[in-house]
Amino acid sequence: MSPRRADRRWIGPTRLMLMTRRARRDQDAGAILRRLARGADTAVGLTVRGRRVLLVLDPQLAGELLARHAADTVKGPGVQLTRDLLGEGLLTSEGDDHRRARRLVAPAFSPRRLEAYATTFATSAAAHADGWRDGQRVDMAQEMATLTLAMVSRTLLGIDLADQAPEVRADLEAALARFGGSATQGDLFGGDRHHQPQPRSAPAVHQLVDRIIEERRRERSDERGDVISALLTSSEAGALTDAEVHDHVMTLLMAGHETTANALTWTWHLLAAHPVVAARLHAEADALGGRTPAFADVPALTYARAVISEAMRLYPPAWIVGRTLTADLTLAGYDLPAGSLAAVSPLLLHHDPRWFPDPEAFDPERWLDERRDDVPRYAYLPFGTGPRACIGEQFAWIEAIITLTVLASRWSATAARGPVTPQYRVTLRPAGGLEMTMHARR
């Protein structure tokens, strides 16, 4: 397709404003995406602040962008803004720095490590469940965030943050609120092209990370096998600076628990509205005979995995993935010069009836029958794909499955307030938290 013909297909600023007027007024980023995608099948081309932006709607094209052409892209403007919080950590670094960081961190996610982590997940979840009371009202979003933060700190970082988790979460929440501004105001794609670095967000957490690293330097042990030990060994060999060690630890602390916490929160929300699904989940958990699940049990917990899979389909934690092109590229007949932005929205892919029949229904069975085989590759992207895919995907699956099974064996929950509205920030979360009433099962 010639550039001239492709140029005529771009949606300009005026039409874009008219198309999304109501959604922008409601500050509903999901509605903006759905409005842009309406009537399109492969991609939608936009012009935003003088920049070409392509919203990819087809799984094959999503794979081309995120996997095949990964070397010709860097992270999009949304993630770039998080550098104020995360610095040059695993999530934000590029090129050789990113590849080196993945190599250093990868041993922490080996099968041998995951087996040991599973025990920590089970004991942590059981201890958390012991703290609830029958009839108690809780903010499930806060509960899941506190629990997963404690799990990540104990497994990946080799520290116990249980007592400090509320303060750490409060500091992180304040920082994350800053990064949701563009999405909540409807500026999904343009970002701030002239963004100036701000003073480090979440100062208390940064101080905590510095203290943890300094304590570990004084008490070195090669037997720990956690991420901090690997990073410090590399730092002492001159491969990493002190600032890079700090940023990688900060990234693991934040990103390592945030997505799983949101996935579990939405799972509880959906279970409360679907008692038949909850009953089957309880039956699977009860089949363990009262013992906490171990690593070897995870493959058999098929219904728990299906429930979590479906929750992440409906409410993908990473709801939009942006890439800035570093080389000219043509996708779906759209010519994108270097500097353009291309975006894939798991939120749109996961709700597309072409790939998921009856897409708005909460139906874990779709992951247990023949429909699972009909889902095209790259149509389901809860953890991304390509060389920038989440390095902790298996960690997150095991954590979520074991945590849900342990908690569901002891508790059910009902909604304690009315409709829940999604909040589109760095991750997809329930606005105002998720108030629920806990009910003891035994």
Side-chain angles (χ1 to χ4, degrees), residues 115-275:
E115 184 172 2
Y117 298 158
T119 301
T120 301
F121 297 153
T123 56
S124 297
H128 198 87
D130 288 342
W132 286 335
R133 304 185 309 276
D134 191 36
Q136 179 184 2
R137 284 195 174 191
V138 303
D139 179 353
M140 190 60 77
Q142 187 64 41
E143 294 288 319
M144 293 300 98
T146 298
L147 176 55
T148 56
L149 179 61
M151 289 176 173
V152 166
S153 64
R154 289 168 182 160
T155 54
L156 297 185
L157 305 183
I159 58 176
D160 191 343
L161 286 181
D163 293 339
Q164 301 174 71
E167 291 78 13
V168 172
R169 278 300 306 172
D171 207 25
L172 287 175
E173 283 292 327
L176 289 170
R178 294 177 49 203
F179 304 127
S182 62
T184 56
Q185 295 177 31
D187 183 11
L188 285 171
F189 308 114
D192 184 356
R193 302 182 72 174
H194 306 289
H195 173 72
Q196 298 297 318
Q198 302 295 317
R200 274 292 175 95
S201 303
V205 182
H206 285 287
Q207 292 171 11
L208 172 65
V209 167
D210 286 336
R211 188 166 66 251
I212 292 167
I213 293 172
E214 183 57 33
E215 290 175 357
R216 189 62 56 82
R217 286 189 193 278
R218 293 196 303 266
E219 302 173 6
R220 290 303 309 277
S221 172
D222 295 331
E223 298 178 358
R224 286 181 179 268
D226 54 57
V227 174
I228 295 183
S229 297
L231 294 174
L232 288 178
T233 298
S234 183
S235 173
E236 291 168 357
L240 286 178
T241 66
D242 290 348
E244 287 174 320
V245 172
H246 174 102
D247 292 346
H248 291 318
V249 173
M250 186 71 181
T251 297
L252 288 168
L253 190 63
M254 194 280 283
H257 84 282
E258 175 75 12
T259 53
T260 305
N262 284 312
L264 288 169
T265 298
W266 288 115
T267 298
W268 282 103
H269 167 67
L270 291 163
L271 289 171
H274 297 84

Side-chain angles (χ1 to χ4, degrees), residues 266 269-271 273-274 277 303 306-315 350-353 355-367 371 380:
W266 288 115
H269 167 67
L270 291 163
L271 289 171
H274 297 84
V277 173
Y303 199 69
V307 168
I308 296 165
S309 298
E310 185 70 344
M312 289 196 294
R313 184 187 69 80
L314 288 168
Y315 298 101
H350 294 185
H351 287 255
D352 194 318
W355 331 124
F356 299 98
D358 196 10
E360 303 309 314
F362 177 56
D363 183 10
E365 294 287 339
R366 74 171 79 237
W367 300 104
R371 288 174 293 175
Y380 183 66

